[in-house]
Amino acid sequence: MFKDKKERSQPTGNAPSAIDTIIGAQCRIQGDILSQQSVKIEGQIQGNVQAGGTVIIGDKGAVNGDIRGSELVVFGKTEGLIEVKKLHLKPNARVTGNIRTQSLQVEDGAVYTGDIRMDRNAGNATLPPAGSPDKAIAPPEKAAGK
């Protein structure tokens, strides 16, 4: 009886209730953000973002750095490498940088500058170690050739 109740009460990774980090509109962060759940960004981030769940960049939100995770929904602005399983660009999205994803949805009005690579393995990589935020992960075929 109690076991079933516990299992039902556990949030799923994509459920809105699983957002465990919210960066408010008045907040500016310089540094990397790592979360096992989902992250909603309404403020400004100067650094990499990695989440086990969904990353949501709100209308006023902006990220200047790499974003990696399961899913990314962009209403605001990003600049840097994006490597996620699912990417959604909403009408006011402004994205600059290369994208590596398994699934891409772009709504009318979204603006994107960069290269897109559709890849079944996208979204499975991890961030570089702390202290080296500008090192991007090479695609698997390039890394294997070294």
Side-chain angles (χ1 to χ4, degrees):
M1 179 172 151
F2 292 108
K3 183 178 179 182
D4 290 340
K5 186 175 179 183
K6 274 187 171 183
E7 287 177 6
R8 280 183 275 143
S9 68
Q10 296 297 320
T12 60
N14 293 329
S17 62
I19 294 176
D20 69 347
T21 304
I22 298 175
I23 310 297
Q26 301 302 315
C27 188
R28 290 178 185 242
I29 295 177
Q30 290 186 338
D32 295 343
I33 296 176
L34 302 170
S35 174
Q36 295 298 315
Q37 295 293 322
S38 296
V39 178
K40 184 172 184 180
I41 300 167
E42 293 289 348
Q44 311 293 311
I45 306 295
Q46 179 74 35
N48 298 325
V49 177
Q50 180 176 348
T54 301
V55 176
I56 301 168
I57 310 221
D59 287 328
K60 306 270 189 222
V63 174
N64 189 348
D66 298 346
I67 302 172
R68 291 184 174 88
S70 178
E71 184 172 2
L72 174 61
V73 181
V74 181
F75 291 90
K77 298 178 183 177
T78 68
E79 186 172 335
L81 174 69
I82 295 173
E83 188 171 354
V84 295
K85 291 179 184 177
K86 294 181 181 182
L87 175 60
H88 306 271
L89 301 182
K90 298 298 185 177
N92 292 326
R94 301 294 177 258
V95 175
T96 302
N98 293 336
I99 292 173
R100 186 171 174 220
T101 187
Q102 294 178 22
S103 171
L104 176 63
Q105 180 182 35
V106 180
E107 294 186 21
D108 285 345
V111 175
Y112 169 70
T113 304
D115 294 325
I116 299 172
R117 180 173 172 188
M118 302 295 283
D119 187 336
R120 285 186 224 175
N121 296 320
N124 296 327
T126 58
L127 281 175
S132 58
D134 55 349
K135 290 184 182 177
I137 296 173
E141 65 274 4
K142 288 183 182 177
K146 286 187 176 182

mmCIF file of all heavy atoms in Angstrom, residues 6-26:
data_model
loop_
_atom_site.group_PDB
_atom_site.id
_atom_site.type_symbol
_atom_site.label_atom_id
_atom_site.label_comp_id
_atom_site.label_asym_id
_atom_site.label_seq_id
_atom_site.Cartn_x
_atom_site.Cartn_y
_atom_site.Cartn_z
ATOM 1 N N LYS A 6 4.126 5.902 -2.749
ATOM 2 C CA LYS A 6 5.414 6.538 -2.992
ATOM 3 C C LYS A 6 5.722 6.579 -4.476
ATOM 4 O O LYS A 6 6.169 7.578 -5.000
ATOM 5 C CB LYS A 6 6.542 5.795 -2.271
ATOM 6 C CG LYS A 6 6.748 6.222 -0.863
ATOM 7 C CD LYS A 6 7.984 5.552 -0.327
ATOM 8 C CE LYS A 6 8.361 6.110 1.020
ATOM 9 N NZ LYS A 6 9.595 5.515 1.516
ATOM 10 N N GLU A 7 5.508 5.472 -5.165
ATOM 11 C CA GLU A 7 5.810 5.418 -6.599
ATOM 12 C C GLU A 7 4.969 6.417 -7.373
ATOM 13 O O GLU A 7 5.442 7.062 -8.287
ATOM 14 C CB GLU A 7 5.587 3.999 -7.131
ATOM 15 C CG GLU A 7 6.671 3.028 -6.676
ATOM 16 C CD GLU A 7 6.410 1.611 -7.131
ATOM 17 O OE1 GLU A 7 5.440 1.391 -7.894
ATOM 18 O OE2 GLU A 7 7.164 0.720 -6.720
ATOM 19 N N ARG A 8 3.696 6.573 -7.004
ATOM 20 C CA ARG A 8 2.834 7.518 -7.705
ATOM 21 C C ARG A 8 3.215 8.958 -7.414
ATOM 22 O O ARG A 8 3.025 9.824 -8.227
ATOM 23 C CB ARG A 8 1.369 7.291 -7.325
ATOM 24 C CG ARG A 8 0.759 6.133 -8.089
ATOM 25 C CD ARG A 8 -0.697 5.980 -7.756
ATOM 26 N NE ARG A 8 -0.771 5.162 -6.546
ATOM 27 C CZ ARG A 8 -1.632 5.327 -5.566
ATOM 28 N NH1 ARG A 8 -2.529 6.268 -5.621
ATOM 29 N NH2 ARG A 8 -1.616 4.549 -4.504
ATOM 30 N N SER A 9 3.769 9.217 -6.235
ATOM 31 C CA SER A 9 4.078 10.596 -5.870
ATOM 32 C C SER A 9 5.409 11.088 -6.428
ATOM 33 O O SER A 9 5.718 12.259 -6.340
ATOM 34 C CB SER A 9 4.086 10.744 -4.343
ATOM 35 O OG SER A 9 5.179 10.030 -3.800
ATOM 36 N N GLN A 10 6.210 10.214 -7.009
ATOM 37 C CA GLN A 10 7.489 10.617 -7.568
ATOM 38 C C GLN A 10 7.273 11.396 -8.859
ATOM 39 O O GLN A 10 6.601 10.922 -9.770
ATOM 40 C CB GLN A 10 8.375 9.393 -7.864
ATOM 41 C CG GLN A 10 8.772 8.615 -6.629
ATOM 42 C CD GLN A 10 9.616 9.433 -5.698
ATOM 43 O OE1 GLN A 10 10.476 10.180 -6.142
ATOM 44 N NE2 GLN A 10 9.364 9.322 -4.411
ATOM 45 N N PRO A 11 7.821 12.623 -8.957
ATOM 46 C CA PRO A 11 7.660 13.399 -10.193
ATOM 47 C C PRO A 11 8.501 12.808 -11.316
ATOM 48 O O PRO A 11 9.551 12.236 -11.073
ATOM 49 C CB PRO A 11 8.167 14.795 -9.822
ATOM 50 C CG PRO A 11 9.094 14.570 -8.668
ATOM 51 C CD PRO A 11 8.590 13.332 -7.954
ATOM 52 N N THR A 12 8.028 12.967 -12.532
ATOM 53 C CA THR A 12 8.800 12.517 -13.683
ATOM 54 C C THR A 12 9.715 13.643 -14.125
ATOM 55 O O THR A 12 9.483 14.806 -13.807
ATOM 56 C CB THR A 12 7.874 12.124 -14.854
ATOM 57 O OG1 THR A 12 7.103 13.265 -15.211
ATOM 58 C CG2 THR A 12 6.965 10.961 -14.472
ATOM 59 N N GLY A 13 10.750 13.304 -14.880
ATOM 60 C CA GLY A 13 11.739 14.295 -15.302
ATOM 61 C C GLY A 13 11.170 15.422 -16.147
ATOM 62 O O GLY A 13 11.677 16.526 -16.143
ATOM 63 N N ASN A 14 10.103 15.170 -16.912
ATOM 64 C CA ASN A 14 9.560 16.191 -17.793
ATOM 65 C C ASN A 14 8.351 16.911 -17.207
ATOM 66 O O ASN A 14 7.812 17.806 -17.827
ATOM 67 C CB ASN A 14 9.186 15.576 -19.146
ATOM 68 C CG ASN A 14 10.410 15.115 -19.895
ATOM 69 O OD1 ASN A 14 11.474 15.696 -19.763
ATOM 70 N ND2 ASN A 14 10.269 14.069 -20.673
ATOM 71 N N ALA A 15 7.894 16.513 -16.020
ATOM 72 C CA ALA A 15 6.726 17.143 -15.417
ATOM 73 C C ALA A 15 7.091 18.537 -14.920
ATOM 74 O O ALA A 15 8.174 18.742 -14.390
ATOM 75 C CB ALA A 15 6.211 16.299 -14.268
ATOM 76 N N PRO A 16 6.189 19.517 -15.084
ATOM 77 C CA PRO A 16 6.464 20.868 -14.609
ATOM 78 C C PRO A 16 6.821 20.910 -13.122
ATOM 79 O O PRO A 16 7.581 21.741 -12.691
ATOM 80 C CB PRO A 16 5.166 21.627 -14.890
ATOM 81 C CG PRO A 16 4.492 20.857 -15.969
ATOM 82 C CD PRO A 16 4.916 19.426 -15.775
ATOM 83 N N SER A 17 6.256 20.003 -12.321
ATOM 84 C CA SER A 17 6.541 20.007 -10.886
ATOM 85 C C SER A 17 7.982 19.585 -10.595
ATOM 86 O O SER A 17 8.457 19.765 -9.484
ATOM 87 C CB SER A 17 5.569 19.083 -10.155
ATOM 88 O OG SER A 17 5.742 17.754 -10.617
ATOM 89 N N ALA A 18 8.682 19.032 -11.574
ATOM 90 C CA ALA A 18 10.055 18.579 -11.363
ATOM 91 C C ALA A 18 11.064 19.712 -11.514
ATOM 92 O O ALA A 18 12.242 19.492 -11.343
ATOM 93 C CB ALA A 18 10.392 17.448 -12.327
ATOM 94 N N ILE A 19 10.614 20.926 -11.843
ATOM 95 C CA ILE A 19 11.535 22.063 -11.939
ATOM 96 C C ILE A 19 12.019 22.373 -10.535
ATOM 97 O O ILE A 19 11.249 22.780 -9.677
ATOM 98 C CB ILE A 19 10.865 23.298 -12.571
ATOM 99 C CG1 ILE A 19 10.523 23.013 -14.022
ATOM 100 C CG2 ILE A 19 11.781 24.519 -12.468
ATOM 101 C CD1 ILE A 19 9.774 24.115 -14.721
ATOM 102 N N ASP A 20 13.302 22.141 -10.303
ATOM 103 C CA ASP A 20 13.831 22.376 -8.963
ATOM 104 C C ASP A 20 14.689 23.628 -8.890
ATOM 105 O O ASP A 20 15.100 24.032 -7.813
ATOM 106 C CB ASP A 20 14.588 21.160 -8.436
ATOM 107 C CG ASP A 20 15.884 20.880 -9.163
ATOM 108 O OD1 ASP A 20 16.113 21.455 -10.240
ATOM 109 O OD2 ASP A 20 16.685 20.079 -8.648
ATOM 110 N N THR A 21 14.939 24.269 -10.033
ATOM 111 C CA THR A 21 15.755 25.482 -10.038
ATOM 112 C C THR A 21 15.076 26.538 -10.906
ATOM 113 O O THR A 21 14.770 26.282 -12.067
ATOM 114 C CB THR A 21 17.162 25.195 -10.589
ATOM 115 O OG1 THR A 21 17.748 24.148 -9.829
ATOM 116 C CG2 THR A 21 18.038 26.424 -10.529
ATOM 117 N N ILE A 22 14.858 27.716 -10.322
ATOM 118 C CA ILE A 22 14.304 28.837 -11.070
ATOM 119 C C ILE A 22 15.248 30.018 -10.884
ATOM 120 O O ILE A 22 15.546 30.419 -9.762
ATOM 121 C CB ILE A 22 12.894 29.212 -10.586
ATOM 122 C CG1 ILE A 22 11.942 28.035 -10.805
ATOM 123 C CG2 ILE A 22 12.393 30.470 -11.306
ATOM 124 C CD1 ILE A 22 10.558 28.249 -10.246
ATOM 125 N N ILE A 23 15.737 30.541 -12.005
ATOM 126 C CA ILE A 23 16.598 31.725 -11.990
ATOM 127 C C ILE A 23 15.695 32.908 -12.326
ATOM 128 O O ILE A 23 15.212 33.027 -13.444
ATOM 129 C CB ILE A 23 17.738 31.612 -13.028
ATOM 130 C CG1 ILE A 23 18.484 30.288 -12.914
ATOM 131 C CG2 ILE A 23 18.653 32.820 -12.940
ATOM 132 C CD1 ILE A 23 19.195 30.063 -11.619
ATOM 133 N N GLY A 24 15.446 33.773 -11.353
ATOM 134 C CA GLY A 24 14.524 34.893 -11.521
ATOM 135 C C GLY A 24 15.022 35.950 -12.486
ATOM 136 O O GLY A 24 16.218 36.049 -12.781
ATOM 137 N N ALA A 25 14.101 36.775 -12.962
ATOM 138 C CA ALA A 25 14.406 37.806 -13.958
ATOM 139 C C ALA A 25 15.434 38.821 -13.470
ATOM 140 O O ALA A 25 16.179 39.378 -14.264
ATOM 141 C CB ALA A 25 13.118 38.524 -14.371
ATOM 142 N N GLN A 26 15.513 39.076 -12.172
ATOM 143 C CA GLN A 26 16.456 40.045 -11.626
ATOM 144 C C GLN A 26 17.807 39.422 -11.288
ATOM 145 O O GLN A 26 18.684 40.090 -10.751
ATOM 146 C CB GLN A 26 15.869 40.698 -10.368
ATOM 147 C CG GLN A 26 14.559 41.421 -10.623
ATOM 148 C CD GLN A 26 14.688 42.506 -11.678
ATOM 149 O OE1 GLN A 26 15.622 43.284 -11.668
ATOM 150 N NE2 GLN A 26 13.757 42.533 -12.623
#
